[in-house]
Amino acid sequence: MKYLYMWLCLGFTTFTHAQPTAFKWREEVRNKYIGVNISASRYCGDLSERYNFAHLQLGWSIEAHMRYRLHERWTVGGDVGVYHVYADQRYTQNADNYLNFAATNFSANSKVQWDMLSVGENLRNVLYLFTGLGATALAPLTELNGTTYSLPAFKTEGKSYALWVAQFSYGMGFPMALGASTQLNIEGRYTHVLSDHLDDVSTYYVDKLTVSVVERSLADKRVAEGLPQNPSGAMRGNATKNDGYFLFTLQIIHKFR
């Protein structure tokens, strides 16, 4: 066991000291990068509670990534892909309203990244910050009696809304070199959607007495549960706060000179 311990220590020390030479990861102005983002997502809006860690209701996201280095501390780029979010009001203080949704939305974002240290110093693990501006589709769905419905088509709050909206994001990341031209980045990102309809919930319950039972049930899930429906004008959501979502990302990139 003593000799095994000595060999393990020697091997770890050799790997640690040889890593910069073996990897030879260097970044320079005009470097180009392409990669892929694989993320866990979490929705934030009217149907969730921020600190409900017992029911995170995690979704997913996958994006293509591209980037170009303008400066030793600045890069520009973008992400294009899809993300999936969902929520169920049963896990909130408004559980007796039974609203829920799921959405798989297309998203595109441009980004600016700032490295906290100059990559010209040949540092491989430079914490970075970024912000971005882009657009997302809104396509909330819900299930009723085994059938899936697209909620925007039913105007659940009495009016239509835009199905494409702007969004902006910000976050931070930490890179780890895997080879001379390959890097793994761990990122955390929050995206503000400039709409309160990511989940189809925003304002008030409206009068649905003259429409079909399906339409009434989609607007007020209490109907589907056989309960008295909410009165017209009762609060359905909070229109003063827009929706958003978190992404926790593993990003693999390849560097071109």
Side-chain angles (χ1 to χ4, degrees):
M1 291 298 295
K2 178 177 70 173
Y3 290 118
L4 178 60
Y5 175 77
M6 290 173 61
W7 277 108
L8 288 173
C9 289
L10 178 62
F12 178 77
T13 303
T14 302
F15 175 78
T16 302
H17 285 284
Q19 194 177 30
T21 303
F23 283 172
K24 295 180 181 178
W25 176 268
R26 299 289 185 270
E27 293 194 56
E28 301 171 352
V29 176
R30 293 187 294 277
N31 279 164
K32 304 175 185 68
Y33 312 81
I34 62 170
V36 61
N37 302 337
I38 300 175
S39 309
S41 65
R42 183 172 190 256
Y43 149 86
C44 295
D46 297 291
L47 303 186
S48 70
E49 291 179 343
R50 182 174 298 179
Y51 303 112
N52 187 354
F53 298 117
H55 300 95
L56 291 176
Q57 301 184 88
L58 299 179
W60 53 266
S61 171
I62 185 166
E63 299 170 302
H65 173 78
M66 60 202 76
R67 193 189 311 167
Y68 178 77
R69 182 161 292 282
L70 293 173
H71 181 269
E72 289 185 349
R73 297 181 72 169
W74 291 94
T75 59
V76 295
D79 304 301
V80 177
V82 295
Y83 64 95
H84 177 80
V85 289
Y86 72 98
D88 194 319
Q89 210 169 27
R90 288 179 299 174
Y91 304 118
T92 72
Q93 61 184 351
N94 296 316
D96 57 351
N97 283 330
Y98 297 97
L99 295 174
N100 61 75
F101 91 106
T104 302
N105 297 334
F106 178 83
S107 174
N109 301 280
S110 60
K111 295 167 69 174
V112 176
Q113 177 180 309
W114 177 74
D115 296 301
M116 298 186 73
L117 295 173
S118 171
V119 296
E121 299 175 22
N122 294 327
L123 300 173
R124 291 181 295 108
N125 304 116
V126 181
L127 192 69
Y128 58 87
L129 308 176
F130 60 85
T131 185
L133 181 65
T136 181
L138 300 183
L141 307 172
T142 196
E143 187 175 296
L144 181 66
N145 298 325
T147 302
T148 300
Y149 294 90
S150 175
L151 288 167
F154 290 90
K155 300 181 181 179
T156 55
E157 294 179 352
K159 58 184 179 181
S160 59
Y161 49 85
L163 300 183
W164 282 93
V165 297
Q167 61 181 13
F168 72 92
S169 59
Y170 48 81
M172 62 189 304
F174 182 78
M176 294 176 288
L178 299 180
S181 58
T182 307
Q183 190 177 70
L184 171 67
N185 299 328
I186 300 174
E187 294 186 351
R189 182 198 325 174
Y190 185 75
T191 299
H192 291 272
V193 178
L194 300 185
S195 170
D196 193 33
H197 290 98
L198 178 63
D199 50 15
D200 191 65
V201 177
S202 180
T203 57
Y204 307 98
Y205 289 94
V206 297
D207 184 2
K208 292 283 186 178
L209 293 178
T210 60
V211 299
S212 68
V213 174
V214 169
E215 288 190 60
R216 286 204 306 275
S217 299
L218 293 175
D220 188 343
K221 285 294 186 70
R222 288 174 58 85
V223 175
E225 298 293 327
L227 300 171
Q229 66 186 69
N230 286 284
S232 176
M235 189 69 71
R236 191 170 187 262
N238 182 359
T240 64
K241 293 183 179 180
N242 287 335
D243 300 323
Y245 56 95
F246 285 100
L247 293 180
F248 178 76
T249 302
L250 294 180
Q251 179 186 85
I252 298 286
I253 62 171
H254 179 76
K255 178 184 64 178
F256 299 90
R257 294 190 181 276

